[in-house]
Amino acid sequence: MRLCYALVAVCLIGGHHLVWAGDRGTPAEAKAMLQKAVTHYSAVGRKQALADFTAGKSPFRDRDLYVVCISNDHRVSASGGFPHYVGMMSDVLKDASSKPLGRAIVESVSTKSQGTVSYLMTNPLTGDTEPKLLFAEKIGEDVCGVGAYNPG
């Protein structure tokens, strides 16, 4: 019984820092989601795909994984995690140290159609600043990516 009370106390006092492994997406799941996004973009066209990504529903949103896209004119063209950014210049996307992520995402695919970006981000589930890895791919007029918190 004491163990039960102790667990309840931990959850009430510091529960926002408890994150079960299943509560977050993995880098492998982020890559898989990006491939689903690429396939979907090709199948339904740009306009519908971007709307679907921004809607933030499965299979383009899962726990802390979501699709973000940046258009050729450096505007956020889709964001399943922060739909209010759609239409804004991509420099609105910054990491925990104010590093411009929009530029880094676009540059990651400048020499080939796929790339990665490593950065620090405040994890909304834990409140801690954690390393994150984003997988990006050039699709039509956009660069799309999916990032996952990556403990190491």
Side-chain angles (χ1 to χ4, degrees), residues 9-50:
V10 167
C11 289
L12 291 175
I13 295 169
H16 70 281
H17 288 287
L18 293 176
V19 178
W20 304 101
D23 290 340
R24 59 171 64 194
T26 66
E29 291 171 322
K31 281 179 103 169
M33 183 180 286
L34 179 58
Q35 288 315 301
K36 287 178 189 173
V38 169
T39 300
H40 187 65
Y41 189 108
S42 298
V44 302
R46 180 179 192 262
K47 183 177 179 181
Q48 184 62 53
L50 296 177

PDB file of all heavy atoms in Angstrom, residues 9-50:
ATOM      1  N   ALA A   9       2.085  10.020  -5.177  1.00  0.00           N
ATOM      2  CA  ALA A   9       2.764  11.259  -4.789  1.00  0.00           C
ATOM      3  C   ALA A   9       3.749  11.701  -5.863  1.00  0.00           C
ATOM      4  O   ALA A   9       3.807  12.880  -6.216  1.00  0.00           O
ATOM      5  CB  ALA A   9       3.485  11.075  -3.454  1.00  0.00           C
ATOM      6  N   VAL A  10       4.513  10.772  -6.398  1.00  0.00           N
ATOM      7  CA  VAL A  10       5.462  11.107  -7.458  1.00  0.00           C
ATOM      8  C   VAL A  10       4.721  11.660  -8.665  1.00  0.00           C
ATOM      9  O   VAL A  10       5.124  12.664  -9.262  1.00  0.00           O
ATOM     10  CB  VAL A  10       6.320   9.876  -7.842  1.00  0.00           C
ATOM     11  CG1 VAL A  10       7.075  10.131  -9.133  1.00  0.00           C
ATOM     12  CG2 VAL A  10       7.288   9.556  -6.729  1.00  0.00           C
ATOM     13  N   CYS A  11       3.634  11.045  -9.037  1.00  0.00           N
ATOM     14  CA  CYS A  11       2.865  11.504 -10.200  1.00  0.00           C
ATOM     15  C   CYS A  11       2.274  12.884  -9.968  1.00  0.00           C
ATOM     16  O   CYS A  11       2.261  13.718 -10.859  1.00  0.00           O
ATOM     17  CB  CYS A  11       1.760  10.508 -10.536  1.00  0.00           C
ATOM     18  SG  CYS A  11       2.399   8.980 -11.234  1.00  0.00           S
ATOM     19  N   LEU A  12       1.789  13.145  -8.767  1.00  0.00           N
ATOM     20  CA  LEU A  12       1.186  14.441  -8.478  1.00  0.00           C
ATOM     21  C   LEU A  12       2.227  15.544  -8.367  1.00  0.00           C
ATOM     22  O   LEU A  12       2.017  16.664  -8.836  1.00  0.00           O
ATOM     23  CB  LEU A  12       0.376  14.378  -7.183  1.00  0.00           C
ATOM     24  CG  LEU A  12      -0.902  13.541  -7.241  1.00  0.00           C
ATOM     25  CD1 LEU A  12      -1.534  13.464  -5.855  1.00  0.00           C
ATOM     26  CD2 LEU A  12      -1.878  14.124  -8.242  1.00  0.00           C
ATOM     27  N   ILE A  13       3.359  15.240  -7.758  1.00  0.00           N
ATOM     28  CA  ILE A  13       4.382  16.261  -7.519  1.00  0.00           C
ATOM     29  C   ILE A  13       5.224  16.510  -8.764  1.00  0.00           C
ATOM     30  O   ILE A  13       5.450  17.645  -9.157  1.00  0.00           O
ATOM     31  CB  ILE A  13       5.284  15.867  -6.335  1.00  0.00           C
ATOM     32  CG1 ILE A  13       4.455  15.854  -5.061  1.00  0.00           C
ATOM     33  CG2 ILE A  13       6.468  16.805  -6.201  1.00  0.00           C
ATOM     34  CD1 ILE A  13       5.157  15.229  -3.871  1.00  0.00           C
ATOM     35  N   GLY A  14       5.703  15.455  -9.404  1.00  0.00           N
ATOM     36  CA  GLY A  14       6.624  15.643 -10.528  1.00  0.00           C
ATOM     37  C   GLY A  14       6.228  14.861 -11.753  1.00  0.00           C
ATOM     38  O   GLY A  14       7.076  14.532 -12.560  1.00  0.00           O
ATOM     39  N   GLY A  15       4.967  14.568 -11.872  1.00  0.00           N
ATOM     40  CA  GLY A  15       4.507  13.712 -12.956  1.00  0.00           C
ATOM     41  C   GLY A  15       4.779  14.243 -14.342  1.00  0.00           C
ATOM     42  O   GLY A  15       4.918  13.477 -15.286  1.00  0.00           O
ATOM     43  N   HIS A  16       4.864  15.563 -14.487  1.00  0.00           N
ATOM     44  CA  HIS A  16       5.113  16.092 -15.827  1.00  0.00           C
ATOM     45  C   HIS A  16       6.505  15.727 -16.333  1.00  0.00           C
ATOM     46  O   HIS A  16       6.776  15.840 -17.510  1.00  0.00           O
ATOM     47  CB  HIS A  16       4.889  17.606 -15.864  1.00  0.00           C
ATOM     48  CG  HIS A  16       5.927  18.394 -15.125  1.00  0.00           C
ATOM     49  ND1 HIS A  16       5.901  18.527 -13.753  1.00  0.00           N
ATOM     50  CD2 HIS A  16       7.006  19.068 -15.568  1.00  0.00           C
ATOM     51  CE1 HIS A  16       6.939  19.266 -13.383  1.00  0.00           C
ATOM     52  NE2 HIS A  16       7.613  19.606 -14.449  1.00  0.00           N
ATOM     53  N   HIS A  17       7.381  15.272 -15.441  1.00  0.00           N
ATOM     54  CA  HIS A  17       8.710  14.848 -15.869  1.00  0.00           C
ATOM     55  C   HIS A  17       8.789  13.351 -16.142  1.00  0.00           C
ATOM     56  O   HIS A  17       9.815  12.872 -16.590  1.00  0.00           O
ATOM     57  CB  HIS A  17       9.763  15.237 -14.833  1.00  0.00           C
ATOM     58  CG  HIS A  17      10.023  16.701 -14.808  1.00  0.00           C
ATOM     59  ND1 HIS A  17      10.717  17.341 -15.804  1.00  0.00           N
ATOM     60  CD2 HIS A  17       9.646  17.664 -13.946  1.00  0.00           C
ATOM     61  CE1 HIS A  17      10.785  18.636 -15.538  1.00  0.00           C
ATOM     62  NE2 HIS A  17      10.126  18.850 -14.423  1.00  0.00           N
ATOM     63  N   LEU A  18       7.724  12.626 -15.859  1.00  0.00           N
ATOM     64  CA  LEU A  18       7.710  11.196 -16.147  1.00  0.00           C
ATOM     65  C   LEU A  18       7.222  10.980 -17.566  1.00  0.00           C
ATOM     66  O   LEU A  18       6.127  11.361 -17.904  1.00  0.00           O
ATOM     67  CB  LEU A  18       6.773  10.455 -15.171  1.00  0.00           C
ATOM     68  CG  LEU A  18       7.200  10.432 -13.714  1.00  0.00           C
ATOM     69  CD1 LEU A  18       6.119   9.741 -12.889  1.00  0.00           C
ATOM     70  CD2 LEU A  18       8.518   9.701 -13.553  1.00  0.00           C
ATOM     71  N   VAL A  19       8.055  10.408 -18.385  1.00  0.00           N
ATOM     72  CA  VAL A  19       7.668  10.120 -19.754  1.00  0.00           C
ATOM     73  C   VAL A  19       7.966   8.659 -20.009  1.00  0.00           C
ATOM     74  O   VAL A  19       9.106   8.222 -19.929  1.00  0.00           O
ATOM     75  CB  VAL A  19       8.450  11.007 -20.764  1.00  0.00           C
ATOM     76  CG1 VAL A  19       8.061  10.652 -22.179  1.00  0.00           C
ATOM     77  CG2 VAL A  19       8.187  12.473 -20.490  1.00  0.00           C
ATOM     78  N   TRP A  20       6.950   7.901 -20.259  1.00  0.00           N
ATOM     79  CA  TRP A  20       7.128   6.493 -20.576  1.00  0.00           C
ATOM     80  C   TRP A  20       7.653   6.384 -21.991  1.00  0.00           C
ATOM     81  O   TRP A  20       7.369   7.207 -22.849  1.00  0.00           O
ATOM     82  CB  TRP A  20       5.806   5.746 -20.421  1.00  0.00           C
ATOM     83  CG  TRP A  20       5.216   5.911 -19.063  1.00  0.00           C
ATOM     84  CD1 TRP A  20       4.197   6.740 -18.699  1.00  0.00           C
ATOM     85  CD2 TRP A  20       5.639   5.265 -17.858  1.00  0.00           C
ATOM     86  NE1 TRP A  20       3.958   6.636 -17.362  1.00  0.00           N
ATOM     87  CE2 TRP A  20       4.819   5.743 -16.814  1.00  0.00           C
ATOM     88  CE3 TRP A  20       6.625   4.326 -17.566  1.00  0.00           C
ATOM     89  CZ2 TRP A  20       4.957   5.310 -15.504  1.00  0.00           C
ATOM     90  CZ3 TRP A  20       6.750   3.894 -16.250  1.00  0.00           C
ATOM     91  CH2 TRP A  20       5.933   4.379 -15.245  1.00  0.00           C
ATOM     92  N   ALA A  21       8.418   5.355 -22.268  1.00  0.00           N
ATOM     93  CA  ALA A  21       9.015   5.159 -23.590  1.00  0.00           C
ATOM     94  C   ALA A  21       7.965   5.199 -24.680  1.00  0.00           C
ATOM     95  O   ALA A  21       8.203   5.710 -25.765  1.00  0.00           O
ATOM     96  CB  ALA A  21       9.779   3.840 -23.635  1.00  0.00           C
ATOM     97  N   GLY A  22       6.762   4.687 -24.426  1.00  0.00           N
ATOM     98  CA  GLY A  22       5.711   4.667 -25.433  1.00  0.00           C
ATOM     99  C   GLY A  22       5.062   6.011 -25.671  1.00  0.00           C
ATOM    100  O   GLY A  22       4.264   6.164 -26.590  1.00  0.00           O
ATOM    101  N   ASP A  23       5.375   7.010 -24.843  1.00  0.00           N
ATOM    102  CA  ASP A  23       4.772   8.333 -24.978  1.00  0.00           C
ATOM    103  C   ASP A  23       5.437   9.184 -26.039  1.00  0.00           C
ATOM    104  O   ASP A  23       4.948  10.249 -26.372  1.00  0.00           O
ATOM    105  CB  ASP A  23       4.836   9.092 -23.650  1.00  0.00           C
ATOM    106  CG  ASP A  23       3.919   8.510 -22.603  1.00  0.00           C
ATOM    107  OD1 ASP A  23       2.983   7.785 -22.974  1.00  0.00           O
ATOM    108  OD2 ASP A  23       4.150   8.777 -21.421  1.00  0.00           O
ATOM    109  N   ARG A  24       6.561   8.744 -26.541  1.00  0.00           N
ATOM    110  CA  ARG A  24       7.279   9.548 -27.532  1.00  0.00           C
ATOM    111  C   ARG A  24       7.638   8.692 -28.734  1.00  0.00           C
ATOM    112  O   ARG A  24       7.821   7.492 -28.633  1.00  0.00           O
ATOM    113  CB  ARG A  24       8.518  10.187 -26.929  1.00  0.00           C
ATOM    114  CG  ARG A  24       9.525   9.199 -26.369  1.00  0.00           C
ATOM    115  CD  ARG A  24      10.830   9.826 -25.973  1.00  0.00           C
ATOM    116  NE  ARG A  24      10.651  10.768 -24.889  1.00  0.00           N
ATOM    117  CZ  ARG A  24      11.571  11.646 -24.531  1.00  0.00           C
ATOM    118  NH1 ARG A  24      12.709  11.703 -25.145  1.00  0.00           N
ATOM    119  NH2 ARG A  24      11.360  12.464 -23.541  1.00  0.00           N
ATOM    120  N   GLY A  25       7.728   9.350 -29.862  1.00  0.00           N
ATOM    121  CA  GLY A  25       8.120   8.658 -31.077  1.00  0.00           C
ATOM    122  C   GLY A  25       9.622   8.470 -31.135  1.00  0.00           C
ATOM    123  O   GLY A  25      10.382   9.219 -30.523  1.00  0.00           O
ATOM    124  N   THR A  26      10.040   7.495 -31.873  1.00  0.00           N
ATOM    125  CA  THR A  26      11.465   7.196 -32.036  1.00  0.00           C
ATOM    126  C   THR A  26      11.958   7.755 -33.359  1.00  0.00           C
ATOM    127  O   THR A  26      11.158   8.043 -34.263  1.00  0.00           O
ATOM    128  CB  THR A  26      11.699   5.678 -32.024  1.00  0.00           C
ATOM    129  OG1 THR A  26      11.070   5.113 -33.185  1.00  0.00           O
ATOM    130  CG2 THR A  26      11.152   5.039 -30.752  1.00  0.00           C
ATOM    131  N   PRO A  27      13.271   7.885 -33.516  1.00  0.00           N
ATOM    132  CA  PRO A  27      13.790   8.293 -34.819  1.00  0.00           C
ATOM    133  C   PRO A  27      13.339   7.362 -35.951  1.00  0.00           C
ATOM    134  O   PRO A  27      13.017   7.834 -37.045  1.00  0.00           O
ATOM    135  CB  PRO A  27      15.309   8.273 -34.615  1.00  0.00           C
ATOM    136  CG  PRO A  27      15.469   8.617 -33.162  1.00  0.00           C
ATOM    137  CD  PRO A  27      14.337   7.885 -32.488  1.00  0.00           C
ATOM    138  N   ALA A  28      13.286   6.063 -35.708  1.00  0.00           N
ATOM    139  CA  ALA A  28      12.825   5.128 -36.749  1.00  0.00           C
ATOM    140  C   ALA A  28      11.371   5.402 -37.125  1.00  0.00           C
ATOM    141  O   ALA A  28      11.004   5.358 -38.303  1.00  0.00           O
ATOM    142  CB  ALA A  28      12.998   3.683 -36.274  1.00  0.00           C
ATOM    143  N   GLU A  29      10.542   5.724 -36.138  1.00  0.00           N
ATOM    144  CA  GLU A  29       9.140   6.044 -36.422  1.00  0.00           C
ATOM    145  C   GLU A  29       9.021   7.375 -37.161  1.00  0.00           C
ATOM    146  O   GLU A  29       8.142   7.538 -38.011  1.00  0.00           O
ATOM    147  CB  GLU A  29       8.330   6.073 -35.130  1.00  0.00           C
ATOM    148  CG  GLU A  29       8.152   4.709 -34.501  1.00  0.00           C
ATOM    149  CD  GLU A  29       7.551   4.752 -33.114  1.00  0.00           C
ATOM    150  OE1 GLU A  29       7.880   5.674 -32.322  1.00  0.00           O
ATOM    151  OE2 GLU A  29       6.746   3.849 -32.810  1.00  0.00           O
ATOM    152  N   ALA A  30       9.907   8.315 -36.857  1.00  0.00           N
ATOM    153  CA  ALA A  30       9.905   9.595 -37.575  1.00  0.00           C
ATOM    154  C   ALA A  30      10.243   9.376 -39.044  1.00  0.00           C
ATOM    155  O   ALA A  30       9.596   9.955 -39.934  1.00  0.00           O
ATOM    156  CB  ALA A  30      10.898  10.567 -36.928  1.00  0.00           C
ATOM    157  N   LYS A  31      11.248   8.559 -39.317  1.00  0.00           N
ATOM    158  CA  LYS A  31      11.613   8.253 -40.707  1.00  0.00           C
ATOM    159  C   LYS A  31      10.452   7.576 -41.429  1.00  0.00           C
ATOM    160  O   LYS A  31      10.162   7.901 -42.588  1.00  0.00           O
ATOM    161  CB  LYS A  31      12.841   7.333 -40.751  1.00  0.00           C
ATOM    162  CG  LYS A  31      14.143   8.029 -40.526  1.00  0.00           C
ATOM    163  CD  LYS A  31      15.290   7.044 -40.553  1.00  0.00           C
ATOM    164  CE  LYS A  31      16.010   7.146 -41.855  1.00  0.00           C
ATOM    165  NZ  LYS A  31      17.290   6.393 -41.830  1.00  0.00           N
ATOM    166  N   ALA A  32       9.785   6.650 -40.759  1.00  0.00           N
ATOM    167  CA  ALA A  32       8.652   5.947 -41.372  1.00  0.00           C
ATOM    168  C   ALA A  32       7.508   6.916 -41.667  1.00  0.00           C
ATOM    169  O   ALA A  32       6.870   6.834 -42.727  1.00  0.00           O
ATOM    170  CB  ALA A  32       8.184   4.813 -40.465  1.00  0.00           C
ATOM    171  N   MET A  33       7.237   7.848 -40.746  1.00  0.00           N
ATOM    172  CA  MET A  33       6.182   8.825 -40.977  1.00  0.00           C
ATOM    173  C   MET A  33       6.529   9.720 -42.162  1.00  0.00           C
ATOM    174  O   MET A  33       5.668  10.043 -42.986  1.00  0.00           O
ATOM    175  CB  MET A  33       5.936   9.683 -39.737  1.00  0.00           C
ATOM    176  CG  MET A  33       4.793  10.679 -39.914  1.00  0.00           C
ATOM    177  SD  MET A  33       4.491  11.709 -38.466  1.00  0.00           S
ATOM    178  CE  MET A  33       3.696  10.523 -37.385  1.00  0.00           C
ATOM    179  N   LEU A  34       7.793  10.114 -42.268  1.00  0.00           N
ATOM    180  CA  LEU A  34       8.210  10.936 -43.398  1.00  0.00           C
ATOM    181  C   LEU A  34       7.989  10.192 -44.709  1.00  0.00           C
ATOM    182  O   LEU A  34       7.514  10.777 -45.686  1.00  0.00           O
ATOM    183  CB  LEU A  34       9.671  11.363 -43.250  1.00  0.00           C
ATOM    184  CG  LEU A  34      10.235  12.204 -44.394  1.00  0.00           C
ATOM    185  CD1 LEU A  34       9.421  13.485 -44.614  1.00  0.00           C
ATOM    186  CD2 LEU A  34      11.697  12.524 -44.140  1.00  0.00           C
ATOM    187  N   GLN A  35       8.291   8.918 -44.750  1.00  0.00           N
ATOM    188  CA  GLN A  35       8.083   8.152 -45.981  1.00  0.00           C
ATOM    189  C   GLN A  35       6.597   8.054 -46.328  1.00  0.00           C
ATOM    190  O   GLN A  35       6.224   8.122 -47.496  1.00  0.00           O
ATOM    191  CB  GLN A  35       8.724   6.770 -45.874  1.00  0.00           C
ATOM    192  CG  GLN A  35      10.240   6.824 -45.926  1.00  0.00           C
ATOM    193  CD  GLN A  35      10.770   7.751 -47.025  1.00  0.00           C
ATOM    194  OE1 GLN A  35      10.481   7.563 -48.194  1.00  0.00           O
ATOM    195  NE2 GLN A  35      11.524   8.783 -46.634  1.00  0.00           N
ATOM    196  N   LYS A  36       5.735   7.935 -45.317  1.00  0.00           N
ATOM    197  CA  LYS A  36       4.281   7.962 -45.556  1.00  0.00           C
ATOM    198  C   LYS A  36       3.868   9.310 -46.134  1.00  0.00           C
ATOM    199  O   LYS A  36       3.017   9.391 -47.023  1.00  0.00           O
ATOM    200  CB  LYS A  36       3.510   7.701 -44.262  1.00  0.00           C
ATOM    201  CG  LYS A  36       3.565   6.279 -43.795  1.00  0.00           C
ATOM    202  CD  LYS A  36       2.803   6.115 -42.481  1.00  0.00           C
ATOM    203  CE  LYS A  36       3.033   4.750 -41.893  1.00  0.00           C
ATOM    204  NZ  LYS A  36       2.461   4.605 -40.561  1.00  0.00           N
ATOM    205  N   ALA A  37       4.471  10.373 -45.617  1.00  0.00           N
ATOM    206  CA  ALA A  37       4.158  11.717 -46.100  1.00  0.00           C
ATOM    207  C   ALA A  37       4.590  11.891 -47.557  1.00  0.00           C
ATOM    208  O   ALA A  37       3.851  12.455 -48.371  1.00  0.00           O
ATOM    209  CB  ALA A  37       4.829  12.767 -45.216  1.00  0.00           C
ATOM    210  N   VAL A  38       5.778  11.394 -47.901  1.00  0.00           N
ATOM    211  CA  VAL A  38       6.276  11.479 -49.281  1.00  0.00           C
ATOM    212  C   VAL A  38       5.330  10.741 -50.220  1.00  0.00           C
ATOM    213  O   VAL A  38       4.934  11.261 -51.276  1.00  0.00           O
ATOM    214  CB  VAL A  38       7.710  10.914 -49.381  1.00  0.00           C
ATOM    215  CG1 VAL A  38       8.143  10.753 -50.830  1.00  0.00           C
ATOM    216  CG2 VAL A  38       8.688  11.799 -48.618  1.00  0.00           C
ATOM    217  N   THR A  39       4.941   9.545 -49.840  1.00  0.00           N
ATOM    218  CA  THR A  39       4.030   8.740 -50.660  1.00  0.00           C
ATOM    219  C   THR A  39       2.684   9.441 -50.818  1.00  0.00           C
ATOM    220  O   THR A  39       2.121   9.504 -51.914  1.00  0.00           O
ATOM    221  CB  THR A  39       3.838   7.341 -50.027  1.00  0.00           C
ATOM    222  OG1 THR A  39       5.119   6.708 -49.958  1.00  0.00           O
ATOM    223  CG2 THR A  39       2.880   6.492 -50.826  1.00  0.00           C
ATOM    224  N   HIS A  40       2.176   9.986 -49.728  1.00  0.00           N
ATOM    225  CA  HIS A  40       0.877  10.672 -49.751  1.00  0.00           C
ATOM    226  C   HIS A  40       0.934  11.913 -50.639  1.00  0.00           C
ATOM    227  O   HIS A  40       0.013  12.152 -51.437  1.00  0.00           O
ATOM    228  CB  HIS A  40       0.475  11.044 -48.319  1.00  0.00           C
ATOM    229  CG  HIS A  40      -0.897  11.591 -48.192  1.00  0.00           C
ATOM    230  ND1 HIS A  40      -2.025  10.847 -48.461  1.00  0.00           N
ATOM    231  CD2 HIS A  40      -1.343  12.818 -47.808  1.00  0.00           C
ATOM    232  CE1 HIS A  40      -3.099  11.585 -48.254  1.00  0.00           C
ATOM    233  NE2 HIS A  40      -2.708  12.792 -47.854  1.00  0.00           N
ATOM    234  N   TYR A  41       1.983  12.694 -50.515  1.00  0.00           N
ATOM    235  CA  TYR A  41       2.167  13.916 -51.317  1.00  0.00           C
ATOM    236  C   TYR A  41       2.127  13.556 -52.800  1.00  0.00           C
ATOM    237  O   TYR A  41       1.454  14.221 -53.591  1.00  0.00           O
ATOM    238  CB  TYR A  41       3.491  14.553 -50.929  1.00  0.00           C
ATOM    239  CG  TYR A  41       3.787  15.931 -51.466  1.00  0.00           C
ATOM    240  CD1 TYR A  41       3.765  17.036 -50.616  1.00  0.00           C
ATOM    241  CD2 TYR A  41       4.150  16.142 -52.787  1.00  0.00           C
ATOM    242  CE1 TYR A  41       4.090  18.303 -51.068  1.00  0.00           C
ATOM    243  CE2 TYR A  41       4.469  17.413 -53.251  1.00  0.00           C
ATOM    244  CZ  TYR A  41       4.437  18.494 -52.393  1.00  0.00           C
ATOM    245  OH  TYR A  41       4.761  19.748 -52.857  1.00  0.00           O
ATOM    246  N   SER A  42       2.829  12.492 -53.165  1.00  0.00           N
ATOM    247  CA  SER A  42       2.865  12.061 -54.570  1.00  0.00           C
ATOM    248  C   SER A  42       1.511  11.542 -55.039  1.00  0.00           C
ATOM    249  O   SER A  42       1.137  11.738 -56.192  1.00  0.00           O
ATOM    250  CB  SER A  42       3.922  10.976 -54.767  1.00  0.00           C
ATOM    251  OG  SER A  42       5.193  11.478 -54.447  1.00  0.00           O
ATOM    252  N   ALA A  43       0.771  10.894 -54.151  1.00  0.00           N
ATOM    253  CA  ALA A  43      -0.502  10.281 -54.528  1.00  0.00           C
ATOM    254  C   ALA A  43      -1.651  11.283 -54.648  1.00  0.00           C
ATOM    255  O   ALA A  43      -2.460  11.193 -55.574  1.00  0.00           O
ATOM    256  CB  ALA A  43      -0.875   9.196 -53.518  1.00  0.00           C
ATOM    257  N   VAL A  44      -1.735  12.245 -53.719  1.00  0.00           N
ATOM    258  CA  VAL A  44      -2.898  13.142 -53.698  1.00  0.00           C
ATOM    259  C   VAL A  44      -2.591  14.555 -54.169  1.00  0.00           C
ATOM    260  O   VAL A  44      -3.501  15.365 -54.331  1.00  0.00           O
ATOM    261  CB  VAL A  44      -3.548  13.194 -52.292  1.00  0.00           C
ATOM    262  CG1 VAL A  44      -3.965  11.815 -51.837  1.00  0.00           C
ATOM    263  CG2 VAL A  44      -2.637  13.870 -51.276  1.00  0.00           C
ATOM    264  N   GLY A  45      -1.324  14.865 -54.378  1.00  0.00           N
ATOM    265  CA  GLY A  45      -0.950  16.208 -54.813  1.00  0.00           C
ATOM    266  C   GLY A  45      -0.623  17.120 -53.646  1.00  0.00           C
ATOM    267  O   GLY A  45      -0.946  16.842 -52.484  1.00  0.00           O
ATOM    268  N   ARG A  46       0.034  18.209 -53.988  1.00  0.00           N
ATOM    269  CA  ARG A  46       0.556  19.134 -52.980  1.00  0.00           C
ATOM    270  C   ARG A  46      -0.519  19.715 -52.076  1.00  0.00           C
ATOM    271  O   ARG A  46      -0.424  19.649 -50.854  1.00  0.00           O
ATOM    272  CB  ARG A  46       1.314  20.268 -53.683  1.00  0.00           C
ATOM    273  CG  ARG A  46       1.890  21.292 -52.730  1.00  0.00           C
ATOM    274  CD  ARG A  46       2.665  22.388 -53.465  1.00  0.00           C
ATOM    275  NE  ARG A  46       3.433  23.169 -52.525  1.00  0.00           N
ATOM    276  CZ  ARG A  46       3.032  24.342 -52.033  1.00  0.00           C
ATOM    277  NH1 ARG A  46       1.872  24.868 -52.407  1.00  0.00           N
ATOM    278  NH2 ARG A  46       3.797  24.991 -51.168  1.00  0.00           N
ATOM    279  N   LYS A  47      -1.548  20.312 -52.662  1.00  0.00           N
ATOM    280  CA  LYS A  47      -2.556  21.026 -51.882  1.00  0.00           C
ATOM    281  C   LYS A  47      -3.217  20.114 -50.845  1.00  0.00           C
ATOM    282  O   LYS A  47      -3.310  20.465 -49.667  1.00  0.00           O
ATOM    283  CB  LYS A  47      -3.604  21.634 -52.809  1.00  0.00           C
ATOM    284  CG  LYS A  47      -4.644  22.462 -52.101  1.00  0.00           C
ATOM    285  CD  LYS A  47      -5.617  23.092 -53.083  1.00  0.00           C
ATOM    286  CE  LYS A  47      -6.672  23.908 -52.353  1.00  0.00           C
ATOM    287  NZ  LYS A  47      -7.627  24.514 -53.290  1.00  0.00           N
ATOM    288  N   GLN A  48      -3.672  18.947 -51.265  1.00  0.00           N
ATOM    289  CA  GLN A  48      -4.348  18.026 -50.347  1.00  0.00           C
ATOM    290  C   GLN A  48      -3.382  17.484 -49.295  1.00  0.00           C
ATOM    291  O   GLN A  48      -3.720  17.382 -48.119  1.00  0.00           O
ATOM    292  CB  GLN A  48      -4.990  16.869 -51.110  1.00  0.00           C
ATOM    293  CG  GLN A  48      -5.782  15.922 -50.222  1.00  0.00           C
ATOM    294  CD  GLN A  48      -6.954  16.613 -49.548  1.00  0.00           C
ATOM    295  OE1 GLN A  48      -7.773  17.236 -50.205  1.00  0.00           O
ATOM    296  NE2 GLN A  48      -7.028  16.525 -48.218  1.00  0.00           N
ATOM    297  N   ALA A  49      -2.161  17.147 -49.718  1.00  0.00           N
ATOM    298  CA  ALA A  49      -1.180  16.604 -48.778  1.00  0.00           C
ATOM    299  C   ALA A  49      -0.857  17.616 -47.686  1.00  0.00           C
ATOM    300  O   ALA A  49      -0.846  17.266 -46.493  1.00  0.00           O
ATOM    301  CB  ALA A  49       0.088  16.184 -49.510  1.00  0.00           C
ATOM    302  N   LEU A  50      -0.608  18.865 -48.057  1.00  0.00           N
ATOM    303  CA  LEU A  50      -0.277  19.881 -47.056  1.00  0.00           C
ATOM    304  C   LEU A  50      -1.435  20.090 -46.080  1.00  0.00           C
ATOM    305  O   LEU A  50      -1.226  20.241 -44.871  1.00  0.00           O
ATOM    306  CB  LEU A  50       0.114  21.195 -47.732  1.00  0.00           C
ATOM    307  CG  LEU A  50       1.390  21.141 -48.592  1.00  0.00           C
ATOM    308  CD1 LEU A  50       1.628  22.475 -49.275  1.00  0.00           C
ATOM    309  CD2 LEU A  50       2.609  20.712 -47.788  1.00  0.00           C
TER     310      LEU A  50
END
